[in-house]
Amino acid sequence: MTITAGADAAAAQTERARVERSVHLRENWKYLTRNVAFPAQWTDDGAAFVYRKTVEGGFAFVRVDDRTLEKSAPFDAARLAEALGKETGEDIDPLRLPFDGFTYADDGKAIELRADDTLYRCTLNAYVCAEKTEEDERPRGFGVVRDLRVPANNEPSPSPDERFEAFVRDDNLALRDLTTGDVVMLSRDGSPGNFYDPETLRWSPDSSHIAIHRVRPGHARYVTRVEAAPDTQVDPVVHKQLYPKPGDAVDIEQPVLFDIRSRRQIDVDNKLFPNPYRLSPPDWRKDSASFAFDYDRRGHGQVRVIAVDADTGGAHAAVTEDSDTFVYADRRFRHDVGDLGEEMIWISERDGWRHLYLIDSRRGRVKRQITKGDWIVRDVVKVDDDSRRIWFSASGRRDGEDPYFVHYYRVNFDGSDLTRLTEANATHTVSFSPDMTRYVDVYSRVDLPNMMEVHDAEDGALIATMETGDISRLETAGFRPPQPFTAKGRDGKTDIWGLVVRPRDYDPARSYPVIENIYAGPHDNFVPKRFWPFGYHSGGDKVIGMQAQADLGFIVVQIDGMGTANRSKVFHDVAWKNLDDSGFPDRIAWMRALAKREPAADLSRVGIYGASAGGQSALNALLFHPEFYTAAVAYAGCYDNRMDKISWNEQWLGWPVDQSYLDASGVVNAHRLQGDLLMIVGEQDSNVDPASTLQVADALIEADKDFELLVVPGGEHSVGRSTGPIDYVQRRQFEFFLRKLSAPGGLAPD
C-alpha cells in the first residue's frame, strides 16, 4: 500500500507540474519575438506614422518620417513609464507600457493614451501625465435605454451664427438670444415621461432650424449583483447595473423640427419608422435643406435612412434595406455624397453578398451596384466625392486563398477600375496616409510573422520594407504554427475553415483526444488568421492557449462553422433564430474529415470549451450532441438568451421573444445533459448576467444531473483571467480535461 500510495503521489505531482508548465506557457513565450510590427497610425498632418513592435524583453514604439522613412523614438519610454507610474501608482516597465497606441496632442508636445480604460494626457517636454476628463454623455443600457439616474449633458448648444443657444429646461427645448439674454420656450409638450433629449440637439448649418429627439423612456431593468469578498471591506457590496433584456420596452425617440424664425414646431410623421429599436441623432445636410437619421426596426428586419425636409417636415426613405432574417446593425455603412442628400454610398447584402451600392437618395432607389461577385466588402476606408472613388477592404475574392483573408482595393463609383492594392497571400491591415498617397501594410498568416511595408497608394508599388518579424527564438523554444485545415460542411459543398494545434511531442502513431475551442457568435468569424499567437488586440482566441492545452496530450482545434459572419448571407443566416445550432453539423463533419486523414485524432473522446457565447455553445454540445462531445468547460455563458443583453440577442433571435429563445436555452434543456460539465463564472460579470449560470445549475439539480461549478468571487466576464486568478481557472480547465478525457502522456515538465 505504501509503495502504491507513493507511486500515486509521484504521478499526481508529475501531472501537476505538466499542468503548471502549460499554464505559464504564454508568459514564458510572449517576449521571444523580434520586430513583429503592429498596424501603423499616421499623424494628422501625414508627416509621419507610428507603430508598436516587439523587441528584446517587450515592446517599443517607432516613429517613421514619411519623406525620408527614417526611424526614431516618438518619446523617451523610460521617462514616460516613470511619469505614468506616478499618476497610476504602479511600477511600469518601459518595455511593457500598458497601452497599444496613442495620439499626438498640442501640436506634438503631448500624447494621449488609454490605459486600463482611463484616458491620460502626457507631456513630452517635462514628462508629466494626468488623467484627462472626458465629456460624458448620459449612459444607455446597451444603447437603447437611457440611465435616468445620470443627468444628461445639457451644456447649451450655440447656433453656428452665434446669435442663439439652445438647451433643455424642465424637459422642454428652450432658446436664448445671446444679444438680449431673453429665453423663449420652443416646446411645451415635454414631460419626465416624454422629454426632449439635449444630447440629440442638432443645429442646421445656417442656424435656421433645430432638430432634436423627444424621448419616451423604456423599461429601466436593473441587474443586482452581490460582491461577496470585496477588497475594501469585510461586508459584501451590492452593485446595480442598468441592463435591458430581450423583449423589454426601449426608449422611443421621436424626431422634432423647430423653425427658429417662426418658432414653429413640427413633429415628423413616424409612418416610415413606426417601431424603432434605435434612431441615430439628426444629421443635417450641408445646405440646411434637410436632415437625415438612421432607423433600425425592432427585430432588425428592416433598416432605413430617413430624410426630412427642413421647411415642411416631410419625410421620405432615402434607402430601405429589408431582410427576411436580419440586417446586421453593426455592419451598416452609409456615406452621403456631396453632403446634399442626392446620392449615397450604401452597403447591402441584397444579392446574397455584402457589396457597395450607389443610391439615388432623393428617390430612394439603387442607381448602380458598384461591386459584385461571390465575395464580400469588409470595411470602407475612404470615399472621395470629387474623384468618385472608394477605398475598401474585402475578402473571398482571390481564388486559392483563405476566404477570410483581408485585402484592400480601390474602385470608381461606376464600378470601373477595380484595383487590388495588396498582393501577398496573407491577411492585411492597411493604414493610409491622410492624403491617400501612401499606405503602410502589415500582413501575416498564422504561419507567417508580421511583415510591414510602405506602398504607393495609386498602384500598390512597394516603396520600402520597414519590418520583418523574427520568430527564431520562439521556434527554438518549441513554437510550431497551427495548421489550417479545410473540409466540407453539412451540405457537402461549403468549405469550412479551421485550425489544428498538436502537442509539441506529437506522435502520429499514438491516439489523442480532441478538444474544440469554440466561439460561434454570429457577429464575426473567430479562427485566427494573423500571426500574433498571443491574441491580436481584442479579437480571436489565443493560439498559445490552445498549444498549452495540446501539450498535455490533446489535439486542439478551432473552427468557423455556418452561422458565423464574413461569408455569404446564406452562410450567416444559419444562425437566425437558431443559436442552438452553433454550426455543430459543420464542426462535427470537419472533425470527422480530420480524423479520416489523421487517425491519431480519437473522436471517441471529444471535449469542448468556450466563453460567453462560446460558453453557451459548449454547454449545448452536451445537451444536443452528446453522441459526439463527451466533456465541456463552459465559461460565463449566456445560457438562456432571455437573460442576456437585449442588443446581441434580439439581433440574432429577433423580437418579440418567441420559441427560438427557448429552443436554445440551457435552462429549458438542462434535462438533456449527458457527459461531463464544468461551468465557470465570474461573480461580477457585467456582460452576461451571472444569474444565467446559476439558473442552469438549478435546472441541472432539479433534473438530478451531476456537474461541476466554479464561481470566481469578484470575477468579471473574463472570469478574473485578466486581473485575477488566471493560473487558477486555466489550471482547473486543464485538469478537468485530463480527468475526463484521460489523455495519456504529454510533455514532461522542465
Side-chain angles (χ1 to χ4, degrees):
M1 289 294 294
T2 303
I3 295 175
T4 302
D8 289 345
Q13 186 175 7
T14 299
E15 180 175 292
R16 182 62 176 263
R18 288 169 50 213
V19 170
E20 290 289 343
R21 171 188 177 133
S22 281
V23 163
H24 294 292
L25 184 65
R26 181 178 185 273
E27 194 63 27
N28 292 340
W29 279 9
K30 184 175 180 181
Y31 302 109
L32 296 183
T33 68
R34 302 291 177 271
N35 302 323
V36 172
F38 293 83
Q41 181 175 347
W42 288 83
T43 58
D44 290 341
D45 60 5
F49 60 87
V50 180
Y51 62 93
R52 180 173 175 253
K53 72 172 186 175
T54 60
V55 295
E56 179 77 28
F59 301 87
F61 286 90
V62 180
R63 177 185 171 104
V64 179
D65 183 277
D66 174 56
R67 184 176 57 83
T68 66
L69 298 183
E70 291 183 1
K71 299 178 182 179
S72 61
F75 47 71
D76 186 320
R79 294 185 68 188
L80 182 63
E82 181 181 6
L84 191 57
K86 285 182 179 179
E87 179 65 18
T88 63
E90 300 176 359
D91 290 330
I92 297 177
D93 186 334
L95 291 177
R96 301 182 187 183
L97 294 169
F99 56 91
D100 295 338
F102 65 89
T103 57
Y104 284 102
D106 297 337
D107 295 325
K109 298 184 181 70
I111 61 172
E112 293 182 359
L113 59 95
R114 189 173 294 277
D116 294 329
D117 294 325
T118 301
L119 184 64
Y120 297 94
R121 174 171 288 200
C122 300
T123 63
L124 297 184
N125 44 20
Y127 280 89
V128 175
C129 293
E131 184 175 336
K132 183 180 178 183
T133 302
E134 298 183 76
E135 187 174 289
D136 293 328
E137 294 189 342
R138 170 185 275 159
R140 300 190 193 188
F142 302 113
V144 294
V145 176
R146 290 161 172 82
D147 191 341
L148 300 183
R149 299 171 299 178
V150 180
N153 181 353
N154 196 21
E155 188 74 21
S157 175
S159 60
D161 64 8
E162 301 180 347
R163 292 181 56 200
F164 302 97
E165 63 181 14
F167 57 96
V168 169
R169 174 184 289 177
D170 297 330
D171 301 309
N172 281 286
L173 182 62
L175 183 73
R176 177 182 286 115
D177 188 315
L178 293 177
T179 302
T180 65
D182 294 340
V183 174
V184 175
M185 299 305 298
L186 295 179
S187 75
R188 297 191 180 277
D189 55 349
S191 68
N194 200 20
F195 59 86
Y196 286 86
D197 181 1
E199 294 178 351
T200 66
L201 189 159
R202 302 291 188 272
W203 282 94
S204 63
D206 67 359
S207 304
S208 65
H209 292 82
I210 290 174
I212 188 172
H213 286 171
R214 191 173 60 233
V215 180
R216 189 168 74 242
H219 174 56
R221 179 194 294 272
Y222 294 95
V223 164
T224 302
R225 300 186 301 272
V226 176
E227 186 177 0
D231 295 331
T232 56
Q233 63 187 57
V234 175
D235 287 333
V237 175
V238 176
H239 301 277
K240 291 185 68 175
Q241 177 187 359
L242 181 64
Y243 195 104
K245 294 186 178 183
D248 285 352
V250 300
D251 290 353
I252 300 299
E253 298 168 311
Q254 170 65 50
V256 183
L257 178 67
F258 292 90
D259 187 314
I260 300 304
R261 287 168 295 216
S262 66
R263 307 294 196 260
R264 185 165 59 110
Q265 173 180 333
I266 306 172
D267 282 7
V268 179
D269 191 331
N270 71 347
K271 67 180 180 181
L272 290 174
F273 50 100
N275 183 22
Y277 174 75
R278 181 169 48 205
L279 302 183
S280 66
D283 179 17
W284 282 95
R285 310 298 192 190
K286 189 175 182 180
D287 62 1
S288 299
S290 64
F291 67 88
F293 58 89
D294 295 338
Y295 161 64
D296 187 352
R297 190 178 70 194
R298 190 78 185 265
H300 302 290
Q302 183 184 77
V303 167
R304 278 180 168 147
V305 177
I306 308 293
V308 179
D309 183 88
D311 290 330
T312 67
H316 76 275
V319 66
T320 299
E321 191 73 25
D322 289 308
S323 175
D324 293 334
T325 56
F326 58 85
V327 180
Y328 188 3
D330 289 343
R331 293 289 178 89
R332 295 201 306 267
F333 174 84
R334 75 170 169 99
H335 169 83
D336 293 323
V337 179
D339 295 325
L340 296 180
E342 296 177 350
E343 290 181 315
M344 178 192 307
I345 303 297
W346 179 252
I347 278 186
S348 169
E349 290 184 286
R350 62 188 64 194
D351 77 344
W353 300 84
R354 191 168 186 259
H355 281 300
L356 295 166
Y357 290 77
L358 181 64
I359 303 294
D360 179 341
S361 304
R362 299 292 188 190
R363 296 175 176 82
R365 66 188 186 190
V366 174
K367 291 182 71 172
R368 184 176 298 106
Q369 183 172 350
I370 300 171
T371 60
K372 61 182 63 178
D374 294 352
W375 51 279
I376 67 164
V377 172
R378 296 289 286 263
D379 291 294
V380 176
V381 177
K382 181 179 176 62
V383 179
D384 188 305
D385 297 342
D386 295 332
S387 66
R388 296 181 73 82
R389 297 202 296 183
I390 307 168
W391 289 259
F392 65 95
S393 62
S395 57
R397 190 170 181 270
R398 298 185 72 181
D399 292 339
E401 274 196 8
D402 186 322
Y404 296 96
F405 282 177
V406 175
H407 284 275
Y408 286 74
Y409 297 82
R410 186 185 62 246
V411 69
N412 294 330
F413 280 15
D414 63 4
S416 65
D417 194 28
L418 177 60
T419 303
R420 187 179 71 248
L421 298 173
T422 51
E423 184 61 37
N425 180 6
T427 197
H428 299 253
T429 302
V430 164
S431 304
F432 286 90
S433 61
D435 63 4
M436 302 301 290
T437 60
R438 288 185 176 187
Y439 65 82
V440 182
D441 181 13
V442 176
Y443 63 86
S444 68
R445 299 186 303 264
V446 292
D447 60 349
L448 174 68
N450 297 21
M451 294 285 295
M452 173 181 271
E453 299 173 345
V454 179
H455 289 256
D456 184 288
E458 185 61 30
D459 58 8
L462 177 65
I463 295 173
T465 298
M466 302 306 300
E467 301 288 355
T468 301
D470 178 358
I471 62 169
S472 56
R473 292 182 61 190
L474 187 62
E475 291 174 323
T476 299
F479 171 77
R480 299 295 180 268
Q483 179 187 1
F485 180 68
T486 309
K488 300 301 179 184
R490 70 187 74 184
D491 59 3
K493 300 182 297 183
T494 303
D495 284 337
I496 303 297
W497 288 72
L499 288 178
V500 184
V501 180
R502 300 174 182 83
R504 285 181 283 152
D505 61 352
Y506 176 73
D507 179 354
R510 285 178 52 189
S511 177
Y512 296 90
V514 176
I515 297 176
E516 181 181 359
N517 172 11
I518 190 169
Y519 196 94
H523 53 279
D524 212 336
N525 63 282
F526 304 98
V527 174
K529 302 298 173 183
R530 299 177 174 93
F531 169 74
W532 188 241
F534 309 99
Y536 193 86
H537 298 301
S538 61
D541 286 284
K542 300 171 179 64
V543 169
I544 294 302
M546 296 166 68
Q547 185 67 65
Q549 181 81 78
D551 283 350
L552 295 173
F554 302 98
I555 292 174
V556 183
V557 301
Q558 189 173 6
I559 310 157
D560 279 320
M562 291 185 185
T564 51
N566 298 322
R567 299 283 289 274
S568 69
K569 177 66 170 164
V570 170
F571 190 102
H572 202 187
D573 276 349
V574 169
W576 176 241
K577 291 187 177 296
N578 193 29
L579 289 185
D580 50 309
D581 180 277
S582 292
F584 281 125
D586 311 301
R587 299 168 187 279
I588 292 170
W590 186 96
M591 282 185 267
R592 285 177 173 156
L594 176 67
K596 185 175 181 180
R597 191 196 70 172
E598 191 169 340
D602 181 1
L603 297 189
S604 70
R605 298 176 292 166
V606 181
I608 187 169
Y609 69 95
S612 194
Q616 179 182 27
S617 296
L619 171 63
N620 284 350
L622 299 186
L623 300 183
F624 303 120
H625 298 278
E627 78 290 347
F628 188 81
Y629 296 94
T630 58
V633 178
Y635 289 93
C638 45
Y639 303 113
D640 190 314
N641 301 100
R642 298 169 297 177
M643 286 285 291
D644 193 23
K645 66 193 76 65
I646 187 173
S647 53
W648 194 85
N649 294 275
E650 286 195 9
Q651 173 70 77
W652 313 118
L653 293 173
W655 175 90
V657 173
D658 61 12
Q659 184 63 38
S660 66
Y661 284 79
L662 305 181
D663 291 342
S665 169
V667 175
V668 173
N669 293 287
H671 65 279
R672 298 174 177 268
L673 181 72
Q674 296 182 50
D676 298 302
L677 172 66
L678 167 61
M679 292 191 297
I680 303 175
V681 65
E683 175 201 55
Q684 294 303 308
D685 191 336
S686 61
N687 186 311
V688 174
D689 186 347
S692 183
T693 298
L694 275 296
Q695 289 184 4
V696 173
D698 180 64
L700 291 172
I701 292 169
E702 183 69 22
D704 196 28
K705 297 290 186 178
D706 293 338
F707 65 99
E708 297 180 34
L709 173 65
L710 170 61
V711 179
V712 179
E716 245 288 356
H717 190 55
S718 61
V719 198
R721 287 174 290 172
S722 62
T723 57
I726 175 173
D727 296 344
Y728 183 79
V729 295
Q730 194 81 88
R731 175 175 66 78
R732 289 290 299 269
Q733 173 186 317
F734 289 179
E735 291 176 345
F736 177 83
F737 283 130
L738 284 169
R739 282 189 285 117
K740 301 304 182 181
L741 299 180
S742 302
L747 287 178
D750 290 331

